Amino acid sequence: MSSTGPAAAPGPSPLHVPVLLDRVTELLGPACAADGAVLVDATLGLAGHTLALLAANPGLRVVGLDRDPQARAEATRRIEAAGHADRVTVVPAVFDELSDVLARLGIDEVQGVLFDLGVSSLQLDRPDRGFSYSTDAPLDMRMDPGAPRTAADVVNTYPPRDLARVLRVYGEERFASRIAAAIDRERTREPFTGTARLAELVRESIPAATRRTGGHPAKRTFQALRIEVNDELGALERALPDAIDALAVGGRIAVITFHSLEDRIVKQTLAAGALDRTPPDLPVPLPEHSPVLRLLTRGGEAAAGDELATNPRAASARVRAAERIRRAA
Ligand SMILES: C[S@@+](CC[C@H](N)C(=O)[O-])C[C@H]1O[C@@H](n2cnc3c(N)ncnc32)[C@H](O)[C@@H]1O
């Protein structure tokens, strides 16, 4: 296996249950079955999906991207332990660099692309990464610890209006302005450095009656900050068209999302590819305007009941998939 990054951390592997594993394996399977087929796992994480696809498709090779060095190290360890090291190339990259990565590797087209968005259990379970509001930790939330901007930077430096926008748009937080005003007041007293003080301030800023419903009051604020810190939606908007471009005819893309903002981007991008763009005033469809994609899923497919019973993370997961049916004109 070729890879870059630090050695895997010693100790037991973190518990990790890949979401929608059977459905993703089924959706990508027909494209990955041929000898020499290449799959880009754009969010390698702990390699759960990659390992299942490698096991199911003996001729498949994988290019696995992840911006998180801890994830790459743990994935590398798991892939080696499974005996698949020679079939996987692990690359440190944000997934909007997908085209450059393939060009560097001399790969013209691929048979599959998988995105399993959001944070991994490894990132959530390591308190020092600052993703979780349930334990006190540095207010960080960077998927790539070398990236320049932390959650503390956002919280301590954004003008209140921008902060409110981030919380409202990315967290769908009704009380965004109240929370932003409270943060602005508190940070002049003392800048925020840890997750616990922020989580408590959010809790206090929300009306008492609302605190009793809808999970932890800081959940939406933490989601919003994470999306902003990692430019999650921007990277997705840039990466999806490149991923579709990289697909060979017959190649397939599958995307797992965890909230409506991500799902909307995926839905719109795949639907645009499945559209016939023949001008309406022409009497017959023109081949060069015909769809480049065929949708494989009806809407965003949710996990089945038995998966929901064993993996709480699957509750908000939706998968959409499509097949490339012709080359671009
Ligand atoms: C939900 S996990 C993937 C889990 C994986 N499918 C598995 O089964 O082990 C998402 C992973 O994608 C990575 N990631 C998220 N956004 C990324 C991006 N824009 N570029 C590269 N990696 C990203 C995260 O660091 C995380 O490790």
Side-chain angles (χ1 to χ4, degrees), residues 16-19 21 41-51 65-72 75 78 91-97 114-123 129 131 143-144 230-232 235-236 239 256 258 313:
H16 175 65
V17 188
V19 167
L21 183 62
D41 185 342
T43 51
L44 184 64
L46 303 183
H49 291 97
T50 275
L51 287 173
L65 315 183
D66 205 296
R67 61 185 4 183
D68 181 344
Q70 284 183 353
R72 293 195 303 275
R78 288 173 180 226
V91 184
V94 178
F95 55 51
D96 61 3
E97 300 168 77
L114 170 64
F115 292 84
D116 174 16
L117 298 170
V119 277
S120 68
S121 37
L122 178 142
Q123 288 161 336
R129 303 295 300 268
F131 285 102
M143 289 184 186
D144 172 2
N230 297 292
D231 185 23
E232 291 182 29
L236 182 62
I256 305 172
F258 290 90
R313 224 182 137 248

Side-chain angles (χ1 to χ4, degrees), residues 138-189:
L139 198 47
D140 191 318
M141 301 194 198
R142 289 170 298 173
M143 289 184 186
D144 172 2
R149 184 180 52 187
T150 66
D153 295 329
V154 174
V155 167
N156 291 320
T157 65
Y158 274 30
R161 272 183 60 170
D162 290 348
L163 206 46
R165 176 186 49 77
V166 166
L167 302 187
R168 188 169 44 250
V169 177
Y170 295 162
E172 300 179 284
E173 173 57 70
R174 277 159 65 198
F175 303 105
S177 300
R178 285 168 79 139
I179 297 170
I183 289 174
D184 190 38
R185 217 171 32 244
E186 279 296 304
R187 70 188 180 184
T188 48
R189 216 169 46 78

Side-chain angles (χ1 to χ4, degrees), residues 20 22-31 39 111-115 240 244 247 250-257 263 265-274 292-302 318-325:
L20 287 160
D22 291 346
R23 185 62 179 133
V24 164
T25 309
E26 183 181 52
L27 285 165
L28 292 176
L39 169 86
Q111 283 63 41
V113 183
L114 170 64
F115 292 84
L240 282 178
I244 293 166
L247 284 179
R252 291 182 168 205
I253 178 169
V255 189
I256 305 172
T257 62
D263 188 52
I265 293 170
V266 178
K267 176 183 173 178
Q268 287 171 353
T269 309
L270 297 188
V292 293
L293 294 179
R294 174 172 74 91
L295 300 183
L296 299 170
T297 45
R298 241 174 216 278
E301 286 185 13
R318 299 287 179 274
V319 64
R320 293 180 188 268
E323 181 176 282
R324 180 95 195 211
I325 51 175

Side-chain angles (χ1 to χ4, degrees), residues 1-17:
M1 173 161 55
S2 37
S3 74
T4 329
S13 294
L15 179 69
H16 175 65
V17 188

